Amino acid sequence: MTSRLTRRTGKATRPAPAGFDRRLIPPMLFGSVLNPINSSMIAVALVPIGVAFGAPPAETAWLVSALYLATAVGQPVVGRLVDMYGPRRLYLAGTALVGVAGLLGALAPSLGALVAARVLLGFGTSAAYPAAMRLTRSEAERTGQDSPAGVLAALAVANQTVAVVGPALGGLLIGLGGWRAVFTVNVPLSAVCLVLGSLRLPRSETRRRAVDLPGMALFALLLVALMLFLMHPRADRWYLPVLSALAAAGFALRELRVPDPFIDLRVLGGNGPQLATYLRQLLAYTTSYAFMYGYTQWLEQGRGLSASTAGLVLLPQSAAALVVSALSGRREAVRGKLLVGSVLQVAGCALMLLVSAGSPLWLLFTVGAVLGIPQGLLGLATQNALYRQAAPERIASAAGLLRTFGYLGALAASAATAAFYPHRADTPGLHGLTLFMLACSALLLATTLPDRSLGRLTSSDSAPPGKV
């Protein structure tokens, strides 16, 4: 049973509009961008932080991994709670935690303290996106109309734009106030979200329900153990994949037996299109974040640019993603976006193999511009696909799981970056990382080409086939 959202905020009851309540859009957008802005700004801060604490890239990579590990666990867990108890209380609690984490990061005396702040940021930013998807679906149910394409497009465009603008913004903040500024900025962002959420998000009428805490704990354990091993695979860490396998077996047994599971494995296992969407999300984001972290570090160390200049070199990427997202956002065209995006990712990776320490700036700009186009297409495509494929009553947990696969891609990208840059971000390491990105992009194309069902994912002829 889904929670019913009322139009009551505080003591006043405001009349519900006939169409989509556009007063919900500002808190939805501001909250949902907290994670991508923190994921992307850190890219240009890794080198200055490493210098400040005397840490090599293999250690500063934990600043990336910690956030995505926490988010990979937190997104579907919080998403399930949003589906059960409504978006308002989870949104407010999560965005408040973001402000606390930003303050702790700004004052952190060591790299370990910074990693802890990033973990808190990961959990804090896990609520807003599932809450936004829940609100979008609830408005469609309330009005009896399919939610306008512009709402989903605005959500995706905001996330994609912030993700690619983040490095340039991070470089600007570092230039103005040092690397601690990329943490401090979370305090005012959190305050804005809290004010907007308190004033505009509707309260939820819910019934007390049992939370599948054992299922959530086992899910967290299998993910954490697996990712810790993949980030540093060594023979003496054999116990981590064993622990992950045992947790996975326990999770499957638990979810197949309980009446209201955290993730309904029976239905998810039979929903091939939704599983394919999760796989495409993983592949697309692995390539995207490998470029963001690997290319940015190479610009600073292999090419010798400052953090601020490296951020500026990525501006064509930001511009291309923004333009493409804005132009294509109102048309779902899931299959077309996936095909064009995957082909251009392959082309952009091939272009990266041509760069070297002496490459002219125009080539560096071109690489970013080419890879900015798929960033503007692929996120829109997977989000629209999921909205059509997931059951309405579990849309928030489905959206959270989609984000999990994206952040698993980010973790894979972070691990690959650390593996190819064991000491510094040099050109041979960049080319090795590029071949890894090229393989992921080719797999994305291979999973999209034969799937004709993607062309039928529109509001008029598709219906959610099952639950997460």
Side-chain angles (χ1 to χ4, degrees), residues 45 60 81 87 117 144 246 259 263 290 308 317 320 322-323 355 378 389 405 442 455:
T60 57
L81 296 177
L246 291 174
I263 296 177
S308 300
Q317 177 196 29
L322 175 61
V323 171
V355 305
L378 297 176
Q389 294 163 344
F405 277 90

Side-chain angles (χ1 to χ4, degrees), residues 304-328:
L305 303 179
S306 67
S308 300
T309 305
L312 292 175
V313 168
L314 295 178
L315 280 179
Q317 177 196 29
S318 307
L322 175 61
V323 171
V324 168
S325 297
L327 292 178
S328 65

Side-chain angles (χ1 to χ4, degrees), residues 400-412:
L401 198 55
L402 182 71
R403 281 285 182 97
T404 292
F405 277 90
Y407 299 138
L408 287 175
L411 282 171

Side-chain angles (χ1 to χ4, degrees), residues 26-41 91-92 94-100 102-103 121 124-125 128 162 166 169 173 181-197:
M28 289 168 58
L29 295 183
F30 272 98
S32 68
V33 302
L34 290 175
N35 196 283
I37 199 171
N38 278 286
S39 341
S40 55
M41 284 194 305
Y91 179 98
L92 293 177
T95 52
L97 185 57
V98 168
V100 173
L103 186 60
L121 276 173
T125 59
V162 167
L169 176 61
L173 290 173
V182 302
F183 288 89
T184 309
V185 73
N186 285 290
V187 177
L189 288 175
S190 171
V192 170
C193 290
L194 287 172
V195 171
L196 289 174

Side-chain angles (χ1 to χ4, degrees), residues 53 107-115 179-180:
F53 294 113
L107 301 175
S110 66
L111 183 62
L114 276 183
V115 171
W179 61 263
R180 293 184 185 274

